[in-house]
Structures are given as C-alpha cells and as structure tokens.
Amino acid sequence: GENVEQHPSTLSVQEGDSAVIKCTYSDSASNYFPWYKQELGKRPQLIIDIRSNVGEKKDQRIAVTLNKTAKHFSLHITETQPEDSAVYFCAATPNAGGTSYGKLTFGQGTILTVHP
Amino acid sequence: DSGVTQTPKHLITATGQRVTLRCSPRSGDLSVYWYQQSLDQGLQFLIQYYNGEERAKGNILERFSAQQFPDLHSELNLSSLELGDSALYFCASSVEGLGGNNEQFFGPGTRLTVL
C-alpha cells in the first residue's frame, strides 16, 4: 500500500520567515495530494491540494509543488505569522480502482511554531 | 464549521466495554470516512462507506465495525475496548468516493478515553 514520509517532524521559524515541509510517497498511482492544518484538539482542515496533472499551485501565502517523477511534494508558507503555528499533515490518495477509493494516507505530521 | 457533525464529543468508558460513535456527513456528500488519531500512530484510515456500501478498508481491527445508513449518517462501533483504543476518532465526508480525487471535510472528532 501507499506510504507517505513527512519531514521535518518539527519546524521553528521567526515571524516573517518562510517554512517548507516535504513529503515523499511510494505509490506511483497516487494522483491527489492534500495538505491539512490541525490546531491542538481541533479537526484537520484542508489548506491546499494539488492533483497530478499540475506541478505547482498557489493560494496567497501558501504554495504546493509536486514532482511526480521523484514522488515528492512540498508545502511552502511565506511571510509566516504566529497564527500559522499548528501541525501540518500531507496526504496522498491512490488512483481509482480496487479497494483504494478516496483512502487518504497521511504523513506523520510537522509541528510548526512561528515565533513573534 | 465543515458541515460534518460527530457525536458525542467526548466519551469515557472502561476496558471491555462497547461504544458507538456517530457521524452525519455534509449535505449531499455520499462518502463517509473514519480515521483514528493517536499520539504514536498519527492519522490512520479505518474504513470508507459510499452511499451505504463499504468501499475501502484500512487498518481497522476486527473488534471495530461500521455502517452507513440510508440517510447517509454513519456509525462506528468499537467493542471489547482496550486502553490502546484511546484516541481521537474523526469522520470525514466527500461528494463522491470514486477516483479518490475529492476533498474530504473533517468533523470535529470524538475523543475516546478508555480507563
């Protein structure tokens, strides 16, 4: 099955700096890669996603890049703010077929701390 | 608010007991997913239902079972509970279950504590 590795496990930055979180996946059939932000005790919330037919997607201060050949994708947050502090999860979903419909495999999570 | 509701919010029970967690998907969503989040295992996919039928299974224990009803709400049943079952259980829903390319919206979760 799919395996998603996420690095780093913790990331500490100063307000205004950029933060980058990287994930690799194992199943070449995966074609949907969402990123979730989870605050302490709260539900995961989708912040951005990318599909395999594009290489990069941006939404204001957040961007995601995908390299299908190397099987890795990254989250980039620019001009970080203290409210960006949370746990970030990457995930991957394999293609349709078999018993893998919609099944998200998550990375281990990155605890991002933005210091004022 | 994602539109996905889960009850109860908190559940405290003893080992060996059985509990039922309930999830109502967003209006119009046909797929429901259950995830378990514990400190040492992260977010783990348990099971998915699409329009009343089981579609995908993850690392779900035999002591656990789920179903989706005609009104599309879903229940996750956990039996013979063990201390290690203590975790946050999330339900998520999406419009379609086919293709695996649909955004999943998470509910607020149920925190289960087994004493």
Side-chain angles (χ1 to χ4, degrees):
Chain A
E2 176 67 277
N3 183 49
V4 178
E5 296 286 333
Q6 182 172 346
H7 299 279
S9 55
T10 60
L11 181 58
S12 185
V13 300
Q14 287 296 127
E15 183 177 1
D17 287 350
S18 294
V20 180
I21 302 171
K22 298 182 179 182
C23 289
T24 60
Y25 60 98
S26 61
D27 190 344
S28 56
S30 287
N31 59 2
Y32 175 60
F33 308 92
W35 285 88
Y36 285 85
K37 174 183 179 182
Q38 186 179 27
E39 297 174 356
L40 191 62
K42 301 284 182 66
R43 63 186 174 90
Q45 288 187 275
L46 181 75
I47 55 172
I48 195 166
D49 57 14
I50 192 166
R51 302 178 196 278
S52 59
N53 56 345
V54 299
E56 183 176 357
K57 183 176 177 180
K58 285 183 84 170
D59 183 4
Q60 299 183 331
R61 297 186 297 109
I62 294 173
V64 57
T65 58
L66 171 66
N67 183 328
K68 282 220 77 178
T69 303
K71 290 194 225 155
H72 66 72
F73 55 114
S74 300
L75 177 71
H76 304 254
I77 306 174
T78 59
E79 300 172 27
T80 54
Q81 301 166 2
E83 49 266 38
D84 293 330
S85 297
V87 182
Y88 290 80
F89 291 94
C90 62
T93 299
N95 210 348
T99 59
S100 298
Y101 296 114
K103 171 186 168 180
L104 282 175
T105 300
F106 285 88
Q108 298 87 340
T110 296
I111 302 172
L112 173 64
T113 305
V114 181
H115 299 282
Chain B
D1 185 0
S2 66
V4 179
T5 61
Q6 287 186 249
T7 56
K9 199 168 184 177
H10 301 280
L11 201 46
I12 300 174
T13 188
T15 54
Q17 295 298 305
R18 172 190 169 94
V19 297
T20 297
L21 313 184
R22 183 188 168 102
C23 167
S24 291
R26 295 187 320 155
S27 177
D29 284 359
L30 299 179
S31 263
V32 169
Y33 312 79
W34 286 98
Y35 294 90
Q36 179 192 56
Q37 186 174 36
S38 57
L39 282 173
D40 56 343
Q41 293 291 323
L43 266 164
Q44 299 278 324
F45 169 77
L46 295 177
I47 198 164
Q48 178 205 356
Y49 279 82
Y50 174 74
N51 203 21
E53 292 188 6
E54 182 183 305
R55 271 304 168 123
K57 230 171 181 177
N59 298 323
I60 187 167
L61 300 170
E62 284 192 16
R63 300 183 285 108
F64 296 0
S65 65
Q67 54 184 328
Q68 186 179 28
F69 295 86
D71 66 352
L72 301 177
H73 90 272
S74 178
E75 292 181 356
L76 179 67
N77 301 295
L78 315 176
S79 62
S80 303
L81 286 167
E82 301 174 0
L83 295 178
D85 297 328
S86 296
L88 255 176
Y89 290 84
F90 286 104
C91 164
S93 73
S94 68
V95 173
E96 296 177 3
L98 305 178
N101 279 347
N102 297 288
E103 178 180 349
Q104 295 185 22
F105 295 87
F106 280 75
T110 292
R111 182 172 293 282
L112 173 66
T113 303
V114 182
L115 301 174

